[in-house]
Amino acid sequence: MDLKGKSFLKLLDFSAEEISCLIDMAAEFKYKKKAGIPHRICEGKNIALIFEKTSTRTRCSFEVAAYDLGMGVTYLDPTGSQIGKKESIADTARVLGRIYDGIEYRGHGQEIVEELAKYAGVPVWNGLTNEFHPTQILADFLTIKERFGKLKGINFVYMGDARYNMGNSLMVGCAKMGLNFTACAPKKYFPDSELIAQCEEIAKQSGATLSFCENPIEATKNADVIYTDVWVSMGEPEAVWEERIKELLPYQVNAEIMKNAGENAVFMHCLPAFHDLNTTVGKQISEKFGISEMEVTNEVFESKQSIVFDEAENRMHTIKAVMAATL
């Protein structure tokens, strides 16, 4: 696999073989990390992290992965860069590309990270856009492979709003790698029809199936993986909470859903999750709408079937693989 100099913007840009190699590379880095074996193979390089949307897992994963590889890191928060404000995206890219060996971007439209990659002259990595979240899917797939020993043929169900970065990226990843993907939600929350058509063509090569179902019991029967995400995405107005709660509460992942899937099924979530009232937002939503749990119940989140923290840890190992492979 030769990905040196290539940007990591969306999984659609990569073959199944390349994705598989990145996952295997991440597993090797994870072993070395646990065993205390140094792997500073990018010694002397420097990277910039542009965060127009803040994050816990993404920032920590990129920073620790970079340090483990021997690199220096500059973190630019929403106030630390003039990108798109006083300086164009193209100009920012050309400046940072002269100073840094790689650039991560986490923020808004996919067109921004694509333009950064066009002008930077160094690898650019997508830490999240409105449309795609490819580093998260690598972590998810490493976690699934650790649990089941394979990816191909896994029955994967995504519950809730599948129109944005997580639903899109998981559907693409499943189509590429041969997992059977089901989006379970009201029809208005299904992914974009053009992306569905594109993924259906990809699935013909991998043997994956794509399904779209409005019935939670039907969708989750015999599922291997039940996956969900918060119902209101970062940056959306608070006004949409009422509509989302009303329409998506029937798609909450609870004990009944997990029992319907089977005892070997696992629960996954990219985090953060509103499974209790131990957050400011959770308390506000509870006071306003009278619910104590949202997309997943605390019972499921804290159960033996939940592998959300394995998944969170694997963000670091897979991001390390992406940076090492492209640098």
Side-chain angles (χ1 to χ4, degrees):
M1 180 183 67
D2 183 10
L3 298 179
K4 187 175 181 179
K6 185 171 182 177
S7 290
F8 190 74
L9 309 179
K10 56 186 183 298
L11 292 183
L12 287 168
D13 300 334
F14 290 79
S15 68
E17 292 74 21
E18 289 169 334
I19 295 169
S20 183
C21 282
L22 286 170
I23 293 169
D24 290 344
M25 192 175 183
E28 182 180 354
F29 277 134
K30 185 173 183 177
Y31 164 76
K32 289 181 177 179
K33 177 81 169 178
K34 300 288 187 184
I37 300 172
H39 42 281
R40 298 173 65 85
I41 60 175
C42 296
E43 189 82 51
K45 294 186 182 293
N46 294 282
I47 64 168
L49 308 180
I50 302 172
F51 276 66
E52 292 194 303
K53 290 183 179 180
T54 55
S55 168
T56 300
R57 278 152 299 282
T58 302
R59 178 182 177 179
C60 293
S61 295
F62 267 100
E63 289 196 354
V64 174
Y67 296 144
D68 283 354
L69 291 171
M71 295 192 285
V73 178
T74 300
Y75 174 74
L76 300 171
D77 67 15
T79 64
S81 166
Q82 296 299 332
I83 183 170
K85 303 182 190 85
K86 293 183 179 179
E87 187 166 40
S88 71
I89 295 163
D91 288 357
T92 300
R94 285 178 285 191
V95 169
L96 294 181
R98 297 294 184 95
I99 300 171
Y100 295 96
D101 299 288
I103 302 166
E104 180 272 353
Y105 173 82
R106 178 183 173 93
H108 304 287
Q110 181 71 15
E111 69 277 3
I112 299 174
V113 76
E114 299 277 352
E115 189 170 0
L116 280 171
K118 180 179 178 180
Y119 290 100
V122 297
V124 173
W125 310 298
N126 181 355
L128 174 142
T129 62
N130 295 339
E131 293 83 4
F132 295 107
H133 197 1
T135 60
Q136 178 66 53
I137 277 57
L138 288 184
D140 296 338
F141 284 6
L142 173 60
T143 310
I144 292 169
K145 193 171 182 180
E146 288 174 338
R147 176 55 67 103
F148 294 100
K150 64 176 185 176
L151 292 175
K152 196 173 182 65
I154 291 293
N155 295 321
F156 187 104
V157 180
Y158 183 85
M159 304 281 287
D161 192 345
R163 298 172 296 175
Y164 301 118
N165 45 41
M166 284 309 302
N168 289 343
S169 294
L170 286 167
M171 180 173 66
V172 171
C174 287
K176 288 270 186 180
M177 304 306 293
L179 293 80
N180 300 317
F181 176 83
T182 299
C184 181
K187 191 173 183 179
K188 65 183 283 188
Y189 292 102
F190 291 165
D192 176 73
S193 59
E194 289 186 15
L195 184 60
I196 290 174
Q198 191 173 1
C199 288
E200 286 176 337
E201 288 301 311
I202 295 169
K204 290 177 182 178
Q205 304 300 317
S206 69
T209 62
L210 305 182
S211 304
F212 305 90
C213 182
E214 297 185 75
N215 185 315
I217 297 300
E218 179 184 337
T220 57
K221 186 67 175 177
N222 298 320
D224 296 306
V225 178
I226 306 292
Y227 200 116
T228 193
D229 190 12
V230 294
W231 290 337
V232 175
S233 297
M234 190 180 299
E236 289 190 282
E238 291 185 9
V240 302
W241 273 111
E242 184 173 4
E243 177 188 35
R244 299 286 169 79
I245 289 171
K246 179 181 178 181
E247 295 180 343
L248 294 177
L249 194 57
Y251 298 88
Q252 179 189 70
V253 181
N254 52 37
E256 180 185 5
I257 290 296
M258 296 305 297
K259 183 178 180 181
N260 185 60
E263 61 180 14
N264 293 324
V266 297
F267 169 72
M268 300 180 72
H269 193 304
C270 56
L271 302 181
F274 294 121
H275 59 97
D276 56 24
L277 299 181
N278 294 329
T279 63
T280 301
V281 173
K283 290 175 183 176
Q284 291 172 345
I285 296 300
S286 177
E287 291 169 1
K288 190 169 184 179
F289 299 106
I291 59 173
S292 59
E293 304 159 312
M294 282 182 267
E295 73 276 7
V296 58
T297 62
N298 195 57
E299 180 182 10
V300 170
F301 188 87
E302 298 291 355
S303 72
K304 292 181 179 179
Q305 289 176 289
S306 175
I307 55 174
V308 297
F309 296 110
D310 295 330
E311 189 183 354
E313 178 195 340
N314 283 339
R315 289 295 306 284
M316 194 241 319
H317 305 300
T318 46
I319 283 171
K320 189 182 294 183
V322 168
M323 292 195 296
T326 55
L327 291 175

